[in-house]
Amino acid sequence: MLKGSNSEVRSAAAVEDTGLVKEMVPQSKTIAFHLYTIWLFTSSDIKSVIIPETALGIASALSGNLLTTNAAPNISEVLARTPQIMLWNWLNLLLFDVNNQFQADSVLEDSVNKPWRPIPSQRLTAAQARRLLLVIIPTCFAATLYLGGTHEAVTLMVMTWMYNDLGGADENVVVRNSLNALGYICYSSGSMVVAAGYGQHALNRTADWWLAIIGAIIFTTLQMQDMPDVKGDAARNRKTIPLVYGDSAARYSIAVPVVAWSLICPTFWELGMLGYVAPVVVGGLFVFRLLMWRGVAADGVTWKVWCLWMMALYLLPLSKEHGALVRFWNTFRSSLA
């Protein structure tokens, strides 16, 4: 789950009645226009969902029986599934984002924070976005029957309903972060299932523990996404940590867990000193930026560093078990001999 939700169910007509979305200016409706409109729904979440979760899936599959039932994964086969992993994530992300962005409060927020999004930029109306969702939901479900991760996708649909339509994200910080954590667990689990090879291999018990840790990381640090969006959140009267408890309190509520997880995760995987380098260095850079460079623009960059830090954590299993990489290198070296 990502930014934006609604405190009550609102129809598409109600969204338009707010005056936030006026009658659309006549525009050329080419195929390229529609494809770009769909892209705009998810473009701001590529860095926080698509790329990190794809990396997680690949790293998990390549780590062999550390996280899956495949003791000897083939690197070429795993990498060949990259488009499928990305498609699985993108379809589920598109479903969430369209459902989120046609809500009245989200249109208000986006008009301040992200005016280029499809509805505030008048590329389509909220009613059209709702109709689009009627196509996306069965498409997403059907795709997962082929790609795998159907259970995760259906759970994400429930989380989306709770987060957006039931206003779960606007209840309080605990409820919002809990829904976000469960959502990321679904994205992570789905990515791992697809990457491992649906119908060929499955996740093991250690994967369950790793997913639980990922959920805990999200629960304790994802409030970082609120930092660059304070203006839009204030416009819709959302009760986020920086708005309720103040800027400094919000920053330390993120910095302390990031430092802790940067040490806990390598310890969980029982890595040597080198295994701590990436999460500690990237986590340290994140904390330094978060505490020293403040403001909407600076926080926008720091949010990207958070995404990079998550990727550093996601790759840790591959640091523990990299037999697939060793086998690939030995095969490649033999082919050159």
Side-chain angles (χ1 to χ4, degrees):
M1 313 287 178
L2 300 156
K3 283 296 295 176
S5 73
N6 198 15
S7 59
E8 61 185 72
V9 179
R10 291 179 172 86
S11 67
V15 176
E16 293 169 8
D17 288 343
T18 63
L20 293 171
V21 182
K22 301 178 181 178
E23 194 68 28
M24 290 177 60
V25 177
Q27 302 180 65
S28 174
K29 301 299 191 299
T30 63
I31 293 178
F33 175 90
H34 291 304
L35 291 176
Y36 187 60
T37 297
I38 292 175
W39 165 257
L40 287 176
F41 275 111
T42 61
S43 61
S44 63
D45 297 324
I46 300 297
K47 64 182 177 295
S48 58
V49 177
I50 305 296
I51 295 176
E53 297 302 326
T54 299
L56 168 68
I58 293 173
S60 300
L62 290 178
S63 66
N65 56 12
L66 191 65
L67 289 169
T68 74
T69 57
N70 186 2
N74 182 287
I75 189 171
S76 298
E77 292 178 358
V78 172
L79 293 179
R81 298 186 190 111
T82 300
Q84 295 170 270
I85 306 169
M86 296 184 72
L87 177 62
W88 189 95
N89 279 287
W90 184 76
L91 284 173
N92 284 281
L93 177 64
L94 179 64
L95 190 158
F96 172 83
D97 281 344
V98 174
N99 179 267
N100 173 263
Q101 291 173 36
F102 85 80
Q103 309 282 349
D105 285 350
S106 293
V107 176
L108 173 61
E109 179 186 354
D110 286 342
S111 68
V112 177
N113 288 335
K114 301 178 178 71
W116 45 264
R117 279 182 165 172
I119 296 175
S121 65
Q122 300 178 27
R123 294 182 71 90
L124 83 171
T125 66
Q128 290 171 325
R130 181 188 61 79
R131 296 188 189 101
L132 177 61
L133 195 62
L134 294 175
V135 177
I136 294 173
I137 292 174
T139 299
C140 181
F141 178 74
T144 63
L145 294 177
Y146 169 74
L147 297 171
T150 303
H151 292 158
E152 289 84 353
V154 172
T155 304
L156 273 172
M157 293 178 192
V158 175
M159 294 298 104
T160 295
W161 173 61
M162 295 176 64
Y163 192 93
N164 294 326
D165 300 281
L166 298 185
D170 289 329
E171 284 294 318
N172 53 60
V173 173
V174 173
V175 173
R176 181 168 70 253
N177 281 16
S178 296
L179 291 172
N180 275 316
L182 291 171
Y184 264 86
I185 288 174
C186 290
Y187 281 115
S188 299
S189 179
S191 299
M192 293 164 68
V193 168
V194 176
Y198 175 56
Q200 303 174 46
H201 305 286
L203 306 183
N204 60 25
R205 177 64 68 177
T206 305
D208 294 338
W209 284 106
W210 184 224
L211 289 168
I213 290 175
I214 289 172
I217 294 170
I218 297 301
F219 179 81
T220 55
T221 68
L222 193 63
Q223 59 266 35
M224 178 60 220
Q225 69 177 344
D226 296 329
M227 302 305 295
D229 289 347
V230 288
K231 292 182 179 179
D233 288 334
R236 62 179 290 174
N237 197 31
R238 167 177 280 163
K239 302 299 188 291
T240 63
I241 291 180
L243 292 176
V244 174
Y245 299 102
D247 184 78
S248 292
R251 293 179 188 279
Y252 280 100
S253 77
I254 305 165
V256 173
V258 166
V259 172
W261 289 118
S262 295
L263 299 173
I264 292 172
C265 290
T267 301
F268 171 78
W269 289 115
E270 299 179 342
L271 299 176
M273 292 300 296
L274 287 178
Y276 287 78
V277 172
V280 169
V281 169
V282 180
L285 173 62
F286 169 82
V287 170
F288 178 79
R289 282 196 56 90
L290 179 67
L291 298 180
M292 300 303 296
W293 289 323
R294 308 189 179 198
V296 172
D299 287 337
V301 177
T302 305
W303 166 239
K304 295 177 182 178
V305 179
W306 180 91
C307 298
L308 184 63
W309 173 70
M310 286 298 299
M311 283 189 63
L313 298 182
Y314 284 168
L315 295 176
L316 289 179
L318 198 54
S319 298
K320 174 68 173 182
E321 177 51 63
H322 45 267
L325 300 180
V326 173
R327 288 192 298 274
F328 174 78
W329 171 249
N330 290 336
T331 301
F332 176 75
R333 188 173 58 180
S334 298
S335 67
L336 297 178

